[in-house]
Amino acid sequence: MTLSNEELAILKPDHIVDGIGEVCPHTLNIALKALKKAKTGEIVMEETDHSIATKTIPAAVKMNKIAEVLGVLSQSGEYKIFLKKL
Amino acid sequence: MGFILDMFILAGIFGFLYGFLLQKADFCFTASIRDWISVRDSRIGKGVLVLIATAMIGWGLVLTLGLQTVGEVWTVPIGFSNLIGGVIFGIGMTIAGSCASGALYRAGMGYIQFWIVIASMMVGNILFALVYDPWVEGYFFEPLLLTEQGFSLYQLNLPFLLIPILVVGLMLLIAVRQFGWKELGQGVKESFKDFRGNPLTKSHWDIRMVAVLIGIIATIQFVVISSISITGPETRIASVLLSFVFGDDFIYQNAYLNSMFADFPSIGLGPEETLIIFMIFGAFVSALLSKSFKIRKPKLVRLPYAIGGGLLMGIASRMAPGCNIANVIPGIGGLSISSFIVIIGMALGVFIATAYVFKMPLLLFHKMDLDG
């Protein structure tokens, strides 16, 4: 289920991960750490300015059935990646 | 010997195109191996395979058509130094968070971290040069060397396109067996999807399409200028900067740096160095067009990674020699044995850093404990 930008903008995440200033592999590691802590159905949102993380994090959680990717909000080189733990 | 202006203009165009394309696909060679072994994400790995396939066919075609000779194919003496250099480069690029080309396109996107990585790589280049004669030459290269000359499989008395066609055919066969013709066709169709509308303003282009384009451009560059390389030119840029402080004689008196400028009329920047600078510019323009440019400040705690990883890459790129780009495109494209060894080393290095430095999950080999 991919949400629209408007839906994502009003979504209240259960866990917020600060990935601003981080690069790979830290961007992925902190997302995985937060998903490990989260309970099933909870929403984890990572804020990052590392562009490739918008591809690597969704691919990693999808491939390993760790979380559902709700969507990515992009604005001027900053991104919010929304994940729902499975 | 001097350079003519046309060469600088051509090099600038090639550099711009590489930088633009690498940024559009976020083409990260480090991730191609790290993300595959860690989280089974093979997207970028497939891009690297498409790039290798395109370069092999490109180099085979160029030689078949007589546009270049086998003597111009980039290859270096074979030895354990290829493997050791590759391993250290692989560890360095995983710690730094980018390979040699990744650091350049991200520098253009506004990442301060990767400007630090590039500067550290250049310091590593110079550190290597300072201990080269007599220590590295006498105690590293000579004992580890297996052959005096480099060797490319194109030197075998075979039709030039035979090995590329066999290898690419095998790649296709494996792809068809794994995905089937239908999915493969779908993949090809998908790789064009980013070209609908105005592709220049899109933030991402399919990596397989970009890989084909980079492979074609590198093949043209091989015909009209030289084999693409990054860390050799970076060493020369570092030497030029050093010459501002210590003078040209300092560079000429160092055996390693002197050899790097053997074909240069003086200590200065040539076409290949121009290409590197325009790669950063190409990535900058690409990021601006898609509104992805941002001055990205790194977390202070990560600076040791940028400096340490960059230093390792700078030193190792002189040991192997060559970076990911030189060894993957003109190296494997040129069927050079030394580059096959360097690439195996780099993959090992990425594995070591992924598993033991970052202690990441290795989901290619076992399942993740989600409830940890």
Side-chain angles (χ1 to χ4, degrees):
Chain A
M1 175 186 64
T2 311
L3 301 180
S4 68
N5 283 355
E6 292 74 26
E7 287 169 317
L8 289 174
I10 53 165
L11 203 61
K12 292 268 180 289
D14 301 290
H15 305 267
I16 295 177
V17 184
D18 174 20
I20 299 285
E22 296 279 20
V23 298
C24 295
H26 309 287
T27 39
L28 175 62
N29 281 348
I30 55 178
L32 292 178
K33 211 169 146 189
L35 283 166
K36 253 187 170 183
K37 272 191 198 159
K39 296 187 187 89
T40 302
E42 284 187 335
I43 293 167
V44 171
M45 186 270 281
E46 176 164 339
E47 283 181 287
T48 176
D49 53 3
H50 192 36
S51 59
I52 198 172
T54 62
K55 294 282 169 193
T56 54
I57 295 174
V61 298
K62 259 190 230 168
M63 174 58 82
N64 299 288
K65 298 183 176 61
I66 298 168
E68 183 185 350
V69 182
L70 299 178
V72 179
L73 274 183
S74 304
Q75 198 178 23
S76 312
E78 283 196 15
Y79 316 93
K80 288 178 179 173
I81 305 166
F82 292 85
L83 311 166
K84 187 175 177 184
K85 179 158 177 180
L86 291 173
Chain B
M1 158 196 161
F3 298 111
I4 51 171
L5 182 64
D6 296 16
M7 297 280 262
F8 286 93
I9 295 170
L10 273 175
I13 294 170
F14 281 118
F16 184 90
L17 291 174
Y18 290 129
F20 193 94
L21 289 168
L22 287 166
Q23 197 286 318
K24 274 277 172 266
D26 241 322
F27 210 131
C28 177
F29 285 73
T30 311
S32 71
I33 303 168
R34 183 196 60 220
D35 291 358
W36 178 54
I37 56 177
S38 175
V39 287
R40 298 190 297 151
D41 176 12
S42 59
R43 182 183 65 90
I44 303 177
K46 284 174 192 145
V48 173
L49 289 177
V50 171
L51 177 59
I52 286 174
T54 313
M56 271 190 192
I57 297 288
W59 258 243
L61 261 179
V62 165
L63 297 174
T64 305
L65 297 173
L67 299 171
Q68 276 293 9
T69 59
V70 179
E72 290 299 315
V73 172
W74 182 70
T75 180
V76 299
I78 301 160
F80 290 105
S81 48
N82 305 138
L83 189 71
I84 296 170
V87 170
I88 299 175
F89 192 91
I91 293 173
M93 71 182 190
T94 312
I95 291 175
S98 82
C99 54
S101 49
L104 289 172
Y105 87 72
R106 287 180 183 151
M109 290 176 74
Y111 282 86
I112 291 170
Q113 163 142 357
F114 292 107
W115 281 99
I116 297 170
V117 170
I118 295 169
S120 306
M121 285 173 72
M122 288 185 177
V123 172
N125 296 153
I126 298 298
L127 285 178
F128 173 90
L130 293 177
V131 295
Y132 175 77
D133 184 25
W135 297 291
V136 182
E137 180 63 13
Y139 297 105
F140 180 72
F141 283 121
E142 279 177 19
L144 295 176
L145 216 59
L146 297 173
T147 65
E148 288 290 322
Q149 302 285 323
F151 187 78
S152 156
L153 295 180
Y154 288 124
Q155 288 170 242
L156 297 172
N157 205 10
L158 296 168
F160 292 129
L161 270 169
L162 182 69
I163 296 174
I165 287 174
L166 284 178
V167 174
V168 175
L170 187 69
M171 281 177 167
L172 270 175
L173 198 74
I174 294 170
V176 170
R177 275 188 67 121
Q178 195 177 346
F179 307 110
W181 281 109
K182 205 175 157 199
E183 205 175 319
L184 206 67
Q186 189 63 30
V188 174
K189 217 168 124 188
E190 262 176 34
S191 68
F192 284 92
K193 73 177 186 305
D194 302 312
F195 289 86
R196 288 184 211 127
N198 182 358
L200 297 180
T201 56
K202 294 215 170 127
S203 62
H204 189 84
W205 290 2
D206 188 280
I207 198 161
R208 296 161 294 188
M209 169 60 72
V210 167
V212 170
L213 294 175
I214 291 178
I216 292 171
I217 294 167
T219 305
I220 299 170
Q221 188 195 333
F222 176 49
V223 175
V224 298
I225 314 182
S226 58
S227 297
I228 181 175
S229 62
I230 291 177
T231 49
E234 277 180 353
T235 307
R236 281 191 287 269
I237 295 174
S239 305
V240 170
L241 294 174
L242 206 63
S243 74
F244 294 154
V245 184
F246 297 106
D248 287 4
D249 281 348
F250 182 85
I251 307 300
Y252 284 127
Q253 280 160 12
N254 180 286
Y256 188 80
L257 299 180
N258 192 354
S259 71
M260 294 291 290
F261 284 93
D263 296 330
F264 279 57
S266 61
I267 304 295
L269 304 182
E272 289 185 327
E273 293 68 44
T274 310
L275 186 149
I276 300 300
I277 294 163
F278 273 80
M279 268 177 86
I280 300 177
F281 182 60
F284 168 70
V285 172
S286 170
L288 269 189
L289 285 173
S290 62
K291 298 191 173 71
S292 308
F293 180 84
K294 182 195 168 216
I295 298 290
R296 295 161 158 98
K297 292 181 197 146
K299 283 210 159 81
L300 280 180
V301 68
R302 300 300 181 209
L303 288 186
Y305 291 87
I307 297 168
L311 279 175
L312 286 179
M313 285 161 80
I315 295 167
S317 75
R318 304 296 83 218
M319 292 161 75
C323 65
N324 53 301
I325 285 284
N327 282 296
V328 165
I329 304 176
I332 295 192
L335 303 181
S336 164
I337 300 296
S338 53
S339 289
F340 283 105
I341 302 173
V342 174
I343 294 298
I344 291 169
M346 281 184 194
L348 274 174
V350 174
F351 174 81
I352 291 167
T354 304
Y356 302 107
V357 177
F358 292 114
K359 297 188 170 53
M360 291 183 73
L362 300 172
L363 302 185
L364 186 64
F365 310 109
H366 57 77
K367 283 202 160 183
M368 188 176 189
D369 174 15
L370 265 180
D371 302 316

